[in-house]
Amino acid sequence: MSTPTNSAQFSSSNVDPAELAKFSELAHRWWDTESEFKPLHQINPLRLAWIQTLAPLAGKKVVDIGCGGGILSDAMARQGAEVLGADLAVKSLKVAQLHALEAGTQGVQYREISAEDLAQEQAGQYDVVTCMEMLEHVPDPSSVVKACSALVKPGGWVFFSTLNRNPKSFLFAVVGAEYILNLLPKGTHEYARMIKPSELADWVRANGLNVMHMKGMTYNPFTRHYALGTDTDVNYLMATQKPLNN
Ligand code: SAH
């Protein structure tokens, strides 16, 4: 991995420093499965399995945009992919790298770089791009979608997941998760930044990707289990593909 620096200067302006600070503050708890990151640990096997069914990961070159502490990056590397995890929160990257060392995960590297800058450097080099639970934390998510599209090879897959924006998602993802069930720290998600599937689909198509599949992710507070299904009202995943002859 390239050594993360403490630079607060980003050549990309598509960053909200307050968002990065929120994640940096919690960074030491990324791999504590009972911490604020418990929901990500719980949904990880579900999203990994879905990615695998559409784009089997063994031997693939993958970039994970907004990788955080590497929960998904690490799991994809363990499926035999060669993974680059990219984020702008340096502390999270250090935790991710340390975890890979401790867990002996092969084939994963981490870098402090924006999606936009990486796209300039490595356009068309990835079989699979993942960008999970990240778009709702950036000022201009369409610019990240554009960068993800630039990073993927023709025929390759780009997977997004984010939070829908409607009264139900406000109630479940903000009021329920942050204020009633305490699944997430208060202030984790800002309503105005949440993204409707139609908006994400528009950005996807405008950047030369096709929407192939969608899944909703639901949480049952009684069983405390997450499931993938057809209800995209709150949390959803979108699988997109770059056409071969683009
Ligand atoms: N994708 C991971 C982590 C999601 S948390 C997972 O699903 O397990 C959101 C992540 O987005 C945090 O790690 C945060 O540091 C990162 N992030 C926020 N703004 C970013 C930006 N502009 N560029 C890159 N990463 C960003």
Side-chain angles (χ1 to χ4, degrees):
M1 118 169 210
S2 61
T3 311
T5 63
N6 267 324
S7 136
Q9 311 287 308
F10 304 112
S11 50
S12 156
S13 56
N14 189 18
V15 183
D16 180 342
E19 289 283 354
L20 295 188
K22 273 195 286 203
F23 288 100
S24 289
E25 198 155 307
L26 302 172
H28 58 289
R29 294 209 281 273
W30 271 109
W31 287 92
D32 176 351
T33 55
E34 292 303 315
S35 72
E36 295 83 350
F37 297 113
K38 182 174 182 170
L40 292 179
H41 285 282
Q42 287 184 296
I43 66 175
N44 206 44
L46 301 174
R47 60 193 186 177
L48 180 68
W50 192 55
I51 293 169
Q52 282 275 48
T53 60
L54 296 169
L57 288 165
K60 296 278 165 60
K61 203 170 165 204
V62 179
V63 61
D64 187 20
I65 299 295
C67 63
I71 295 172
L72 180 62
S73 309
D74 197 274
M76 293 193 291
R78 288 178 169 269
Q79 299 296 323
E82 184 200 322
V83 182
L84 175 67
D87 202 291
L88 290 174
V90 182
K91 279 191 186 166
S92 297
L93 293 168
K94 285 185 176 164
V95 168
Q97 185 185 24
L98 191 63
H99 178 84
L101 277 174
E102 283 175 349
T105 308
Q106 304 288 314
V108 65
Q109 294 196 322
Y110 294 100
R111 240 183 109 179
E112 181 197 5
I113 188 164
S114 70
E116 290 88 346
D117 287 352
L118 192 66
Q120 293 271 325
E121 196 186 296
Q122 300 186 1
Q125 295 199 16
Y126 290 90
D127 301 298
V128 175
V129 179
T130 54
C131 181
M132 305 299 215
E133 316 300 330
M134 182 271 192
L135 293 174
E136 69 274 23
H137 299 286
V138 299
D140 180 4
S142 68
S143 159
V144 175
V145 172
K146 182 179 183 187
C148 289
S149 175
L151 284 162
V152 76
K153 293 177 188 170
W157 289 84
V158 184
F159 295 89
F160 298 102
S161 73
T162 189
L163 280 176
N164 203 338
R165 188 180 72 256
N166 56 52
K168 179 176 165 185
S169 67
F170 179 72
L171 199 65
F172 282 57
V174 180
V175 180
E178 297 181 16
Y179 290 85
I180 299 175
L181 299 174
N182 291 320
L183 296 173
L184 295 171
K186 295 177 180 59
T188 299
H189 291 117
E190 203 180 303
Y191 184 69
R193 285 229 167 119
M194 289 151 65
I195 300 165
K196 293 185 179 180
S198 57
E199 294 166 339
L200 181 54
D202 282 351
W203 300 331
V204 157
R205 290 190 203 102
N207 288 292
L209 297 169
N210 291 329
V211 178
M212 306 303 287
H213 301 280
M214 271 190 50
K215 284 276 182 199
M217 193 152 41
T218 51
Y219 178 69
N220 181 330
F222 302 106
T223 61
R224 299 188 188 167
H225 278 107
Y226 290 86
L228 293 190
T230 53
D231 178 357
T232 55
D233 290 351
V234 183
N235 212 314
Y236 63 94
L237 300 98
M238 191 180 279
T240 75
Q241 199 173 21
K242 186 180 270 189
L244 264 177
N245 48 359
N246 197 22

